[in-house]
Amino acid sequence: MAYRQDSDLEFLREIPNEELSILVELLTKDFNGAKRYTEELTDKDLYKKHYPNHHKYIDDILEELQTFGGHTLVNVFRGGGVLYKEILCDVCDKKKVTYNKENETIAIENALIEKIFKDIKALLDKADPQKLKVITQELQSQKVDGLYMYQISAIVATAITETLTATTAIGATTLASVGASLGIGRVVGLINPVLMAATSLWLVSDAMGPAYRVTIPATLQIAFLRQRHIHRREIEEMEKNHAEVLEGLENISDKLDEEQKISLAREIMKYLKVKLNILIVGATGVGKSSTIAALFKNGKDKIEIGTSSNPQTQDISKYDISDNIILWDSPGLGEGEEKDKIHADKIIAMLKEKDEEGNALIDLVLVILDATNKDLETAYKLINKVIIPNMPDKEIILIALNKCDSVIDRVDFVENGRRLTTDQEKYLDEKVDNIKERVKKDTNVDVEPIYYSAGLKKGDKPQEAPYNITKLLYFITKKTPPKKRLVYIGEDNKEKGTDDGKRQYTRETKKSLWESVWNFVKKNKEVILTTIIPYLKPIRQAKKIVEFLSKLKF
């Protein structure tokens, strides 16, 4: 069986090689990345000789598509494959698309794209209405005049392809590039979990046969490639500008001063609307308020803004530390059996709460213990029975022992230049080891407790300088999801006190935070397009970018 000449597919000969890679993957690989049982393309001599130079065997690629189309239409006696328009119409019939067979192929493709996009939105509306609202707002903000159908086809093709296939590195890079240049990567990221949950709808009950697992995503990919081909000049100009700005931005890090870095990071955070939620758990008297005051520049002036809107967690106090940092203050255990049960239930409910995108609301659980307390059984009950079993991610807990300066004898700490004595360090290290061993034994989770002092606070007297607060912030930053670490930039308290000197905690924290700006930007390039490019439209070269950014007042 040879390729039947098809005017609707000839444009694929002009498509760049890397863009054809996705179509080839759809034809040859199943959802787990394994070779499709029914495919024949990879057995062809030209494929074996020239892969991945797809143009060398383009006829074999097109023949493979027509052959799968023949399987869906059960036309084994044709003596040849099925023309693309017939395959397309068959897919439209299967997806219950309203269309006119007499229309041009592109019009039928557009009808299919709009129907699939409508189906996706219906799935979202049923599964997560709030997520649909976010996606609608995101699309509205990213709309490009004259390219609406291209954007929708890119969203549909990318979402379906990423959900239903295992793409290679080349294919994944192409998909990411499309999402970044159009600013739609976040939309696809929001859609995919819903589609994955509905895989059976797309592939089993709906498709009813293995050939449709190829023809449905393949026609969507071809429709997208056709849109891209039509608008290629305009799209490539956008992508060129996008690449130039990225290259320039990668060169400016060392040329911005600290305040400019903070301003830029805040602008990115403002666009992303990132909220970092930290749940602080500790019994009365362990020093939660003094810890917050020592960590954050606005910590001393924190204002309670209410409690959770969830009735199950309403006794957990909520504080806004900055535009992007929210602290949730929960009592610990040890107030009696009845109150302990109430507190435990509320902590569990808080750990299970979701944000508007369906992810766990709490990003980090900071458990504060009193280092001078010799009886930790209540703490073990809190950590091992309440917190760890109910955390979706077992890595987000940090156990911190406050008042380390007061173990054995606080006078020794003061007389030692506000540093721990050898005996104090030995006592604390043993306590840390005991906690690690007990938690590991009870939960099989590894923890890395640290000790610090938030600074003694007596009555109306100023809070004393902290000890190891730089180490605490360093570990908090390490435990924070990478894309949310930017929220700490410019929010730390300038009064650092002293620390154990084992690392340059402040320097390493700042380095980590600023590196996360650029690492995140590289992985989420649509941020640059939406946030930074409006400021940079008049310029192109890195030198001018530096000069321009230095004058910006965010």
Side-chain angles (χ1 to χ4, degrees):
M1 186 182 294
Y3 164 60
R4 293 176 63 191
Q5 191 71 22
D6 190 338
S7 59
D8 286 326
L9 295 177
E10 286 300 304
F11 80 97
L12 292 172
R13 299 183 188 277
E14 302 175 38
I15 298 298
N17 205 56
E18 63 273 13
E19 293 176 18
L20 286 175
S21 293
I22 300 172
L23 182 60
V24 172
E25 289 172 21
L26 286 169
L27 294 171
T28 59
K29 294 181 180 179
D30 215 329
F31 319 116
N32 58 3
K35 178 182 175 181
R36 290 190 185 278
Y37 180 72
T38 54
E39 69 89 10
E40 299 176 359
L41 178 60
T42 59
D43 292 328
K44 298 289 180 71
D45 291 339
L46 288 177
Y47 176 94
K48 292 177 180 179
K49 182 178 180 180
H50 296 293
Y51 178 87
N53 187 352
H54 308 306
H55 287 116
K56 295 288 188 179
Y57 53 93
I58 186 68
D59 281 4
D60 290 340
I61 295 171
L62 302 183
E63 176 194 339
E64 186 76 6
L65 174 66
Q66 291 178 339
T67 301
F68 272 110
H71 292 162
T72 63
L73 293 165
V74 200
N75 286 319
V76 294
F77 300 110
R78 285 177 179 267
V82 180
L83 294 179
Y84 173 73
K85 188 172 184 179
E86 192 172 352
I87 298 171
L88 174 64
C89 290
D90 180 56
V91 168
C92 287
D93 291 339
K94 182 61 62 177
K95 298 303 300 175
K96 297 180 172 57
V97 178
T98 301
Y99 70 102
N100 186 340
K101 289 186 178 182
E102 303 304 318
N103 285 349
E104 292 185 1
T105 298
I106 190 171
I108 301 174
E109 286 175 335
N110 290 349
L112 173 63
I113 290 166
E114 290 181 325
K115 174 60 166 57
I116 297 293
F117 191 55
K118 182 180 178 181
D119 289 347
I120 290 173
K121 291 193 292 184
L123 282 171
L124 286 167
D125 190 37
K126 184 178 180 180
D128 195 336
Q130 184 60 38
K131 187 174 287 187
L132 176 60
K133 181 180 178 182
V134 172
I135 288 172
T136 302
Q137 293 172 344
E138 193 78 14
L139 282 175
Q140 188 62 36
S141 68
Q142 304 292 352
K143 191 172 182 179
V144 179
D145 291 341
L147 292 178
Y148 173 75
M149 188 52 65
Y150 172 65
Q151 285 182 292
I152 298 301
S153 69
I155 291 169
V156 170
T158 305
I160 298 296
T161 300
E162 288 187 345
T163 304
L164 305 186
T165 64
T167 56
T168 64
I170 295 175
T173 300
T174 303
L175 292 174
S177 175
V178 170
S181 62
L182 284 175
I184 60 171
R186 185 166 183 246
V187 172
V188 174
L190 290 169
I191 289 172
N192 280 357
V194 178
L195 289 185
M196 287 180 178
T199 299
S200 60
L201 174 66
W202 290 96
L203 300 179
V204 182
S205 62
D206 186 54
M208 295 172 60
Y212 281 109
R213 300 181 185 183
V214 177
T215 58
I216 291 176
T219 51
L220 292 170
Q221 184 65 25
I222 291 170
F224 159 67
L225 290 174
R226 193 186 311 277
Q227 288 287 334
R228 188 170 174 84
H229 182 64
I230 292 170
H231 300 287
R232 184 165 300 278
R233 181 175 297 179
E234 185 176 358
I235 292 163
E236 287 182 348
E237 181 64 24
M238 287 173 57
E239 292 175 348
K240 179 184 176 184
N241 293 343
H242 174 249
E244 287 179 356
V245 171
L246 281 177
E247 183 181 356
L249 287 171
E250 287 177 355
N251 294 328
I252 71 173
S253 177
D254 294 336
K255 301 180 182 180
L256 294 180
D257 61 33
E258 195 65 26
E259 287 305 312
Q260 289 168 333
K261 291 178 180 179
I262 290 171
S263 296
L264 183 55
R266 283 177 176 165
E267 188 66 17
I268 295 173
M269 290 294 95
K270 180 180 176 182
Y271 162 72
L272 292 174
K273 299 180 177 65
V274 166
K275 293 289 186 183
L276 176 72
N277 288 271
I278 302 176
L279 175 61
I280 301 180
V281 184
T284 302
V286 298
K288 288 182 289 184
S289 293
S290 58
T291 298
I292 294 168
L295 282 170
F296 302 110
K297 69 179 183 181
N298 295 326
K300 294 178 182 178
D301 304 317
K302 73 182 190 303
I303 299 174
E304 185 175 345
I305 58 173
T307 57
S308 170
S309 58
N310 184 343
Q312 294 178 299
T313 59
Q314 274 186 347
D315 287 341
I316 297 180
S317 301
K318 180 181 180 183
Y319 301 95
D320 267 355
I321 293 300
S322 70
D323 290 339
N324 302 98
I325 302 175
I326 297 173
L327 302 183
W328 301 89
D329 182 0
S330 172
L333 306 185
E335 298 183 24
E337 187 175 340
E338 185 176 343
K339 283 192 174 181
D340 281 358
K341 186 179 186 312
I342 293 172
H343 294 329
D345 289 344
K346 293 185 183 299
I347 291 170
I348 291 170
M350 195 81 217
L351 291 171
K352 293 184 177 181
E353 197 159 325
K354 305 290 186 182
D355 63 17
E356 62 181 15
E357 295 183 4
N359 302 312
L361 176 70
I362 298 302
D363 299 296
L364 172 67
V365 181
L366 175 61
V367 181
I368 300 179
L369 306 179
D370 186 339
T372 65
N373 189 349
K374 295 181 180 180
D375 183 7
L376 293 179
E377 285 305 314
T378 302
Y380 290 137
K381 181 180 178 182
L382 170 68
I383 295 165
N384 299 343
K385 303 295 184 183
V386 177
I387 295 176
I388 290 180
N390 293 287
M391 292 192 310
D393 180 357
K394 308 305 181 187
E395 298 294 322
I396 67 170
I397 185 172
L398 176 60
I399 301 171
L401 287 77
N402 191 14
K403 305 183 184 180
C404 70
D405 55 334
S406 296
V407 300
I408 303 179
D409 191 339
R410 189 171 186 277
V411 173
D412 294 339
F413 173 82
V414 176
E415 291 181 350
N416 196 41
R418 302 190 62 78
R419 295 182 184 278
L420 296 174
T421 65
T422 301
D423 288 342
Q424 287 178 313
E425 284 192 341
K426 181 180 178 182
Y427 174 89
L428 290 162
D429 288 340
E430 288 177 355
K431 179 163 281 194
V432 164
D433 288 341
N434 289 337
I435 293 173
K436 291 167 67 174
E437 291 174 8
R438 178 64 179 272
V439 174
K440 179 69 172 179
K441 177 183 176 183
D442 290 355
T443 68
N444 200 34
V445 172
D446 293 311
V447 293
E448 193 173 2
I450 68 161
Y451 46 83
Y452 73 102
S453 171
L456 189 64
K457 178 75 169 71
K458 285 188 176 181
D460 296 332
K461 293 182 180 180
Q463 184 171 329
E464 291 185 6
Y467 174 80
N468 257 2
I469 203 70
T470 52
K471 185 174 184 177
L472 178 59
L473 182 58
Y474 171 75
F475 274 83
I476 287 174
T477 303
K478 281 179 60 178
K479 287 286 185 179
T480 299
K483 77 172 186 177
K484 293 191 176 186
R485 290 177 187 170
L486 306 185
V487 302
Y488 297 120
I489 293 181
E491 301 299 338
D492 57 314
N493 197 333
K494 301 306 178 187
E495 176 55 73
K496 306 298 184 186
T498 55
D499 59 46
D500 60 21
K502 294 179 179 178
R503 306 186 72 144
Q504 293 182 307
Y505 297 113
T506 299
R507 181 178 178 181
E508 290 190 28
T509 299
K510 286 185 176 180
K511 181 180 178 182
S512 172
L513 292 176
W514 185 241
E515 284 177 350
S516 71
V517 174
W518 298 113
N519 290 336
F520 184 71
V521 162
K522 290 172 187 177
K523 294 177 183 177
N524 299 270
K525 298 178 182 179
E526 67 270 21
V527 173
I528 288 297
L529 282 174
T530 307
T531 307
I532 308 300
I533 281 186
Y535 297 107
L536 307 181
K537 283 183 178 178
I539 59 179
R540 285 290 178 267
Q541 301 304 315
K543 182 178 179 181
K544 293 184 179 180
I545 293 175
V546 175
E547 293 172 354
F548 194 75
L549 277 176
S550 67
K551 298 174 184 177
L552 287 180
K553 303 293 183 183
F554 291 114

